[in-house]
Amino acid sequence: MTAEPATSTTTEPRTIRRAMTGDAAGISEIYAHYVAESFATFDELPPTVGAWAERLTALDASGHPVLVAVAASGDVAGYAYVAPWKPKHAYRATVENSIYLAPSAAGTGLGRRLLAELIDACRDAGHTEIIAVISDRGSDASLALHEHAGFRRVGRLENVGCKFGTWLGVHLLQYSVM
């Protein structure tokens, strides 16, 4: 995750709760930053607010937790969710996580709080394994976040994506919820 100078939002109290479709604009804004400025995602075009609203609805309906951290101002300061790992039925209890923070919230401990609550929500939803797929460029903070939470490195894939003219690999990490 990319760190930028802290703003007043980093000291505001934050509530972590289930996401609602009304959070789509804030989520979209955060994600668009990472699409445009980092290797954290391999997306090259950010999804629209409408696409995010549809994703939130679909994930919620299928029992995949989506959490948001909301600042006292009402702004979305970060979000975390899980989605199916693979579409085959045999993988139904395994999910892939994603977690993104507003640049002003990086380094505040919010990522740890979001990830801990996401793991608890996965446990409550009956998911047994969480997979993290983390870019091998500029991902030290994300790797540290996941390892601190108990994820273990289980593999690495090389040169599986190209963004900004750079070939990228991914680290695979796994957390057993059971």
Side-chain angles (χ1 to χ4, degrees):
M1 291 180 229
T2 307
E4 291 185 0
T7 65
S8 62
T9 61
T10 61
T11 59
E12 291 182 7
R14 293 185 184 86
T15 301
I16 296 176
R17 60 166 171 74
R18 291 285 183 151
M20 300 177 289
T21 56
D23 298 316
I27 290 171
S28 178
E29 181 179 342
I30 291 169
Y31 191 68
H33 165 78
Y34 291 96
V35 171
E37 303 292 331
S38 78
F39 294 117
T41 174
F42 287 12
D43 274 336
E44 295 176 300
L45 296 172
T48 65
V49 173
W52 272 110
E54 290 174 13
R55 182 181 297 175
L56 297 175
T57 299
L59 288 170
D60 184 58
S62 63
H64 294 88
V66 182
L67 304 177
V68 292
V70 181
S73 64
D75 294 337
V76 175
Y79 67 94
Y81 70 92
V82 295
W85 167 241
K86 299 280 185 186
K88 294 179 181 168
H89 187 69
Y91 293 115
R92 66 190 170 278
T94 301
V95 293
E96 179 180 348
N97 80 318
S98 292
I99 182 167
Y100 290 92
L101 303 177
S104 62
T108 65
L110 182 58
R112 285 185 180 186
R113 287 182 53 213
L114 268 169
L115 187 53
E117 291 205 27
L118 184 65
I119 290 168
D120 288 343
C122 285
R123 184 176 292 110
D124 293 345
H127 301 300
T128 61
E129 300 295 325
I130 305 172
I131 307 297
V133 181
I134 301 173
S135 172
D136 66 359
R137 294 277 178 118
S139 61
D140 291 345
S142 187
L143 288 168
L145 169 69
H146 283 81
E147 289 176 332
H148 180 269
F151 281 73
R152 66 189 191 291
R153 293 187 198 205
V154 295
R156 184 168 180 276
L157 303 173
E158 297 178 351
N159 302 318
V160 294
C162 185
K163 184 174 179 184
F164 305 139
T166 302
W167 283 99
L168 304 165
V170 292
H171 298 280
L172 301 173
L173 290 82
Q174 185 172 354
Y175 183 94
S176 294
V177 180
M178 304 186 306

